[in-house]
Amino acid sequence: MEELQSALGNRGLTVSNVPEKGRCLFTSKDFYPGEVIISQEPYVSVPNNSADNSKCDACFESSNLKKCSGCQIVYYCSSTCQKSEWKLHRLECEALSKLPKERRRAVTPSLRLMIRLYCRSKLQSQKTVSSSDMDNYNLVEALVAHMPEIDEKQMVLYAQMANLVSLILRRPDINIKEIAENFSKFACNAHTICDGELKPLGTGLYPVISIINHSCLPNSVLLFEGRSAVVRAVQHIPKGAEVLISYIDTAGSTVTRQKALKEQYLFTCACPRCIKAGQNEDMQESAVLEGYRCKDNKCDGFLLRDSDDNGFICQQCGRLKRKEEIIEMESEIKSLQEKALVAAESAPYITYQGVVAVIKAMETLQRHLCHPFCIYLIPTWEMLIKNLMKLEDWSEALAYCRLTIPVYQKAYPPFHPLLGLQYYTCGKLEWLLGDAEDAVKSLTKAVDILRITHGTSTPFMKDLFRRLEEARAEAFINGVD
């Protein structure tokens, strides 16, 4: 702990134990929006490979891939990447190669992550691979496993997975109970590695980053540059304040957020937003983000359940929306949703036009049922945007993209990566439609947000800056003409 404190002290950070919360990361200097608070390479990581989508084990790139000739399940994009991973993969490869080929293909990313964990700890103990105050197995051992809170069914699953790892590694110095406990640590502490557009690429374990606690009103954001986890401030964080990120998507009611946190991370959040549960402000926010719209389409009031349980009453105009009406419409939406998913999976055998038609029918019903700022509209609009872009119908895709912006603004704080990425998508579509002036406005808003959350040096951000400069140049030429 002293070594870690020393390493963090040089970065303007310190670890403290707080009752009811455990270890927390605090600042020992001021941090400002966009400033990197801490970054860390993964102790171990694996790409989320599938039969039709493989990635390099070292950098997660998906082009120029070649299989490892030994295990036949790991890919590298270059000799440089292969060499950088060789010491670790050599041990993993030896273990995997002893399995029958059919069983090798059944080794999941979670199993691989655990295998690599023990391979790396062994290499560090032998001093074959270097360790440091922020990169050692002791930090993994210090992570909370929440074993007492795990139900019997989950414990049995962890024990089965631990048995598999034990059979693959064939090491007498580790026991099944320890492996099962580490699987529980993965569930609570491993992070999904995403690209600049927040598309999942793999999974990594970052023991120091894992010290950072959750808040539904975070002052920082965790994103990735390649495999590196980078935490940046999204607001001024004064000296002596706790660094807080969000473990979940915070768009949603307190009930929804608390459920997600309890199921995945086994704790109850007591952040400033969650302690308002049941208060009028919280009830109004929930009714807007997840509730129904008024029977009067011109009214944007929020609805609360009436005292006689006959339905929901608009708190602005007093109109009642009956339960029977809601149940009937929800049933129709569910039916169309299932039909849309089947159609999407069948494309291109069912044309994208057919998929769009089904989704549009569902979206029409949802807009009659849901509050205008309801977050349940977003996945439907995103499905429409995706399929309309496949049809190269840029104009209609843009119309739906613009619909999402007010909902994102309502559901997220001003400097949230999802809001910035939505402006980015709008800007790209406006550019494709030849509307350079609007593209400049949207891309500028994207840059204002994403330079805080993403920094300025990643390939994604450099591409965004380039797009903005090109749009500005074209808008200027159009203005001169």
Side-chain angles (χ1 to χ4, degrees):
M1 186 70 168
E2 288 181 12
E3 293 83 2
L4 177 61
Q5 287 283 29
S6 176
L8 290 173
N10 296 329
R11 294 167 167 80
L13 299 165
T14 185
V15 177
S16 296
N17 277 292
V18 176
E20 306 298 323
K21 293 182 73 173
R23 294 185 304 164
C24 308
L25 192 67
F26 284 85
T27 60
S28 54
K29 70 170 191 175
D30 285 42
F31 285 91
Y32 295 91
E35 191 174 353
V36 174
I37 298 171
I38 186 171
S39 63
Q40 187 181 23
E41 293 297 315
Y43 188 76
V44 284
S45 65
V46 290
N48 292 339
N49 286 347
S50 61
D52 57 349
N53 184 15
S54 298
K55 302 176 191 69
C56 173
D57 239 54
C59 68
F60 288 14
E61 283 294 323
S62 55
S63 55
N64 303 317
L65 298 178
K66 291 184 179 178
K67 253 183 196 177
C68 168
S69 58
C71 66
Q72 293 285 306
I73 64 170
V74 172
Y75 293 84
Y76 296 104
C77 68
S78 65
S79 58
T80 302
C81 280
Q82 187 175 23
K83 286 175 184 175
S84 71
E85 290 283 296
W86 176 240
K87 287 181 181 178
L88 177 58
H89 182 58
R90 182 178 62 81
L91 285 186
E92 178 190 26
C93 192
E94 286 174 3
L96 293 174
S97 298
K98 291 172 184 174
L99 296 173
K101 285 187 178 180
E102 300 76 26
R103 293 192 68 181
R104 265 184 255 173
R105 286 193 287 268
V107 175
T108 63
S110 294
L111 291 173
R112 276 201 64 209
L113 199 67
M114 188 62 70
I115 291 164
R116 290 169 74 83
L117 177 77
Y118 282 104
C119 289
R120 187 136 202 267
S121 66
K122 182 178 180 179
L123 291 169
Q124 284 188 329
S125 66
Q126 295 172 340
K127 303 194 183 306
T128 306
V129 168
S130 63
S131 60
S132 70
D133 296 338
M134 290 183 62
D135 178 17
N136 60 76
Y137 188 69
N138 291 336
L139 297 171
V140 178
E141 290 182 315
L143 295 174
V144 178
H146 292 286
M147 295 299 278
E149 292 92 346
I150 297 169
D151 62 39
E152 187 178 348
K153 185 179 178 182
Q154 192 64 46
M155 279 297 298
V156 169
L157 177 60
Y158 288 156
Q160 291 170 340
M161 293 168 72
N163 264 309
L164 283 171
V165 172
S166 180
L167 287 168
I168 293 168
L169 288 174
R170 301 181 186 183
R171 278 178 53 182
D173 58 320
I174 51 173
N175 59 51
I176 290 170
K177 184 179 177 183
E178 180 189 332
I179 302 171
E181 188 171 317
N182 276 333
F183 271 119
S184 184
K185 287 179 181 179
F186 282 179
C188 301
N189 294 283
H191 289 90
T192 300
I193 301 169
C194 298
D195 65 11
E197 295 185 65
L198 304 189
K199 295 172 184 173
L201 298 175
T203 307
L205 186 67
Y206 303 82
V208 180
I209 298 289
S210 292
I211 296 171
I212 302 173
N213 282 316
H214 164 86
S215 173
C216 298
L217 285 172
N219 53 23
S220 315
V221 64
L222 168 63
L223 291 173
F224 297 87
E225 296 180 7
R227 293 189 305 178
S228 300
V230 183
V231 177
R232 286 188 174 85
V234 292
Q235 62 190 58
H236 172 225
I237 306 174
K239 178 181 177 180
E242 185 180 0
V243 178
L244 298 163
I245 60 174
S246 175
Y247 295 178
I248 59 167
D249 186 349
T250 55
S253 67
T254 301
V255 171
T256 299
R257 298 193 313 275
Q258 292 280 19
K259 184 174 183 287
L261 289 166
K262 192 68 176 176
E263 288 178 354
Q264 176 67 42
Y265 299 100
L266 306 172
F267 73 89
T268 300
C269 183
C271 74
R273 190 176 173 193
C274 286
I275 60 172
K276 294 178 182 177
Q279 296 179 16
N280 186 62
E281 181 184 345
D282 178 70
M283 290 168 65
Q284 179 175 339
E285 180 184 69
S286 299
V288 169
L289 292 177
E290 295 182 1
Y292 307 114
R293 77 172 304 142
C294 181
K295 280 182 72 74
D296 181 355
N297 287 337
K298 295 178 182 178
C299 176
D300 62 357
F302 65 96
L303 277 61
L304 295 179
R305 191 182 296 273
D306 80 318
S307 56
D308 295 327
D309 199 25
N310 291 320
F312 293 79
I313 294 177
C314 177
Q315 303 302 296
Q316 185 164 302
C317 71
R319 289 174 181 264
L320 174 71
K321 196 158 195 169
R322 300 191 66 81
K323 276 200 306 185
E324 294 78 13
E325 181 184 349
I326 291 169
I327 291 168
E328 183 182 347
M329 203 170 289
E330 284 182 336
S331 177
E332 287 184 60
I333 289 169
K334 186 178 179 182
S335 175
L336 284 168
Q337 195 170 37
E338 290 170 356
K339 190 177 177 181
L341 289 171
V342 170
E345 288 172 4
S346 302
Y349 302 106
I350 294 176
T351 63
Y352 288 121
Q353 286 94 334
V355 175
V356 167
V358 176
I359 303 172
K360 279 185 177 181
M362 181 175 76
E363 190 260 355
T364 300
L365 284 176
Q366 279 185 310
R367 290 178 75 173
H368 280 300
L369 178 65
C370 300
H371 190 280
F373 291 116
C374 180
I375 57 171
Y376 298 145
L377 290 163
I378 289 178
T380 307
W381 285 331
E382 293 291 356
M383 284 175 68
L384 279 168
I385 294 165
K386 179 182 175 182
N387 283 282
L388 286 164
M389 288 177 77
K390 286 176 181 175
L391 292 168
E392 298 187 5
D393 189 341
W394 314 125
S395 182
E396 195 162 14
L398 174 60
Y400 283 109
C401 194
R402 284 173 173 168
L403 282 177
T404 67
I405 295 293
V407 184
Y408 274 97
Q409 289 173 324
K410 189 79 173 177
Y412 296 107
F415 290 103
H416 194 285
L418 285 174
L419 177 59
L421 289 170
Q422 210 63 10
Y423 278 123
Y424 169 65
T425 303
C426 275
K428 285 195 297 182
L429 289 167
E430 286 157 348
W431 174 258
L432 283 166
L433 288 164
D435 189 347
E437 191 174 334
D438 277 346
V440 168
K441 291 176 185 175
S442 295
L443 293 174
T444 299
K445 288 175 181 176
V447 165
D448 289 343
I449 295 169
L450 298 178
R451 74 192 314 158
I452 299 295
T453 61
H454 286 57
T456 58
S457 61
T458 62
F460 169 76
M461 286 304 295
K462 288 176 180 177
D463 179 66
L464 173 54
F465 291 135
R466 178 187 59 78
R467 286 176 186 269
L468 177 55
E469 287 308 308
E470 288 178 358
R472 280 175 175 161
E474 186 164 322
F476 175 76
I477 291 169
N478 292 343
V480 170
D481 292 343

